[in-house]
Amino acid sequence: MATMNAKDSISAAMAECYITIDGRRYNFMQAIGFEAHVDKTKIKVPILGKPGRGTKSVGWVGRGTATAHYNQSIMRLLLQKYKNTGEDTYFDIQVTNEDPTSSVGRQTVILTDCCLDGGTLAKFDADGDFLDEKISFTFDDFHIAETFGGGKSSDNTMQRGRI
């Protein structure tokens, strides 16, 4: 029976996150936590001769959240630009997970055409240890540039036998 080696779990802190806004690339080292999800849109399909319905995927929506140290202003400046001009700024996010103690290698996911849902303008907490902020966004596309196991990804290739 094959089992996973404990050392192949990925350390939660071993990641890099970059944001590209208007052609400028920022190391988003303020990030404390990050998740990006795809929600599939499904419809119920009636099938003659069956009392139940099947389901069929007909689309998807990308959404994400991040928690970051409250020590940068770039997201607030994007919100101010939208307020002042009505022009939304779209950006890309690249996340790479790589734990040098694991044999599974690294994975890089690039989210494109990200758009803020809103954001924190100002805050304080007289009783807190440090300030952080929640950032939520949507994205229109994504690409898995590198997969765990050392492979480069393409849209029509999927590694087999890894699960």
Side-chain angles (χ1 to χ4, degrees):
M1 178 170 82
T3 59
M4 185 186 95
N5 294 319
K7 71 175 188 139
D8 289 336
S9 62
I10 303 296
S11 173
M14 300 305 294
E16 294 179 331
C17 184
Y18 292 92
I19 298 177
T20 303
I21 304 170
D22 292 331
R24 293 190 62 191
R25 190 169 193 237
Y26 300 90
N27 183 346
F28 196 37
M29 61 189 158
Q30 296 88 351
I32 300 169
F34 182 90
E35 285 191 38
H37 302 270
V38 168
D39 294 325
K40 290 171 60 175
T41 305
K42 293 185 173 185
I43 60 170
K44 297 198 183 309
V45 179
I47 302 170
L48 187 63
K50 285 188 169 184
R53 292 182 178 231
T55 56
K56 180 177 176 95
S57 297
V58 295
W60 64 277
V61 174
R63 61 182 176 81
T65 58
T67 302
H69 289 285
Y70 182 79
N71 64 359
Q72 55 78 32
S73 296
I74 189 70
M75 298 301 173
R76 279 170 280 290
L77 291 172
L78 295 179
L79 294 171
Q80 179 175 271
K81 178 183 173 185
Y82 178 72
K83 176 195 69 92
N84 290 342
T85 68
E87 180 185 350
D88 231 341
T89 301
Y90 290 80
F91 53 93
D92 297 343
I93 301 175
Q94 175 182 318
V95 174
T96 300
N97 298 97
E98 182 176 23
D99 182 344
T101 65
S102 173
S103 69
V104 301
R106 59 193 267 149
Q107 174 180 274
T108 299
V109 176
I110 302 167
L111 310 175
T112 56
D113 296 324
C114 300
C115 183
L116 290 175
D117 292 339
T120 302
L121 292 179
K123 73 182 299 182
F124 67 84
D125 181 354
D127 192 37
D129 293 326
F130 63 88
L131 293 178
D132 64 5
E133 63 182 307
K134 305 285 189 226
I135 300 167
S136 63
F137 59 92
T138 56
F139 58 94
D140 292 346
D141 205 355
F142 67 95
H143 175 72
I144 302 173
E146 296 175 297
T147 61
F148 290 124
K152 298 288 183 194
S153 176
S154 68
D155 289 337
N156 58 6
T157 303
M158 188 167 74
Q159 288 186 333
R160 297 172 194 258
R162 298 287 303 179
I163 296 175

